[in-house]
Amino acid sequence: MTVFHSYKTSLNVLSEVSVLYKVVEFKRNKISGSYWKVAIAAAALLASASVRADYASHPAAPAFIDKLVAEHKFNADEVRAALAGAEKKQSILDAIARPAEKTKPWFEYRKIFLGADRVAQGVEFWNTHQATLARASKEMGVEEEVVVAIIGVETRYGRYMGSYRVLDALATLGFDYSPRAKFFSSELENFFLLAREQKQNIGDLKGSYAGAMGYGQFIPSSYRAYAVDFDGNGVSDIWNDPVDAIGSVANYFKRHGWKKGEPVFSRALIAKDYDQSVLNARVRPHLTLQEAAAMGFTPAEGRFNRDEKVVPLEYEGELGKEFWLGFSNFYTITRYNRSQMYALAVWQLSQEIRYAYEQQAAAATTSD
């Protein structure tokens, strides 16, 4: 079975627009002058937008097609047909220009991902997939609550996995989003490969505006590299199979250096003359706790080896500035999503889910 739709060519689209013009012409005598002008404008806009949606005619398309043919043995006509059916989505370009972590302070960003409903749904997900989560934790060395929190932040435990066609998202960003066109063009290439490997219809797969898919919202390159067949049925399906999704998220963390039982964050106490220049550095934790203390940052909780490496962080909380120390496991979460606020949200959600899960278990034991 081919993985590609038999997409309409631009000629087909123009033919549809011609039909629209005829319908408008037929209704002409029943439409007032102002509405008639609106109808004609809408038809013209549809024609223009439909032609622009043909990514097979984009200036960058020939090189992309040639690469898939030369390096991966794709059929040029099939790739061209798929690109011809991909649609440019302005809503995608708008969304990627204003991600929440760049437009909201921490106290507002936090509210998006933490709350009673998401915690309760996390406990429900944990109870439903208790055996799978326990096995993933044992085999991959990642705490159950961390895996649950990732899936909770990404898709509310599979409830919202994205409504954009991944083909549209990656074509739009790969061809028409110049700041990261190289990255998204590479993801589009990986998406073609993924669809072929998984025997999926490339036009049917849905995901986020950035082309992320499934329970854990893997981009195509991550899907190909880290998704696992955790239920042993021969397919690594994170679109529909929560067992594979759990195993895949845990495997991603394992492969990126997560250390089970080791610290993630600690609140920080600051000295009056703390060094602001080291705050929120987008680097792997590089200061020992001893060095961080000399710069005015010390853990407010827990006992740690002074040689543990950290990054000092500052966020705007509801009651003013919050200071944190991010450890190596914090950095691993940022390999999943580069936002440092995302990492803090995942960790805090994981702790709330763990607490609620244990409280529920204790209450059940008491009632028995």
Side-chain angles (χ1 to χ4, degrees), residues 231-249:
D231 59 7
N233 68 353
V235 180
S236 53
D237 178 8
I238 67 170
W239 291 290
N240 307 297
D241 188 340
V243 175
D244 284 355
I246 289 167
S248 297
V249 170

Side-chain angles (χ1 to χ4, degrees), residues 39 42 50 63 72 95 116 131 135 183 197 244 261 293 296 301 319 323 335:
S50 298
H72 307 298
R135 180 162 66 92
F183 170 79
E197 291 162 357
D244 284 355
E301 54 202 10
L319 301 178
F323 294 90
R335 299 306 86 201

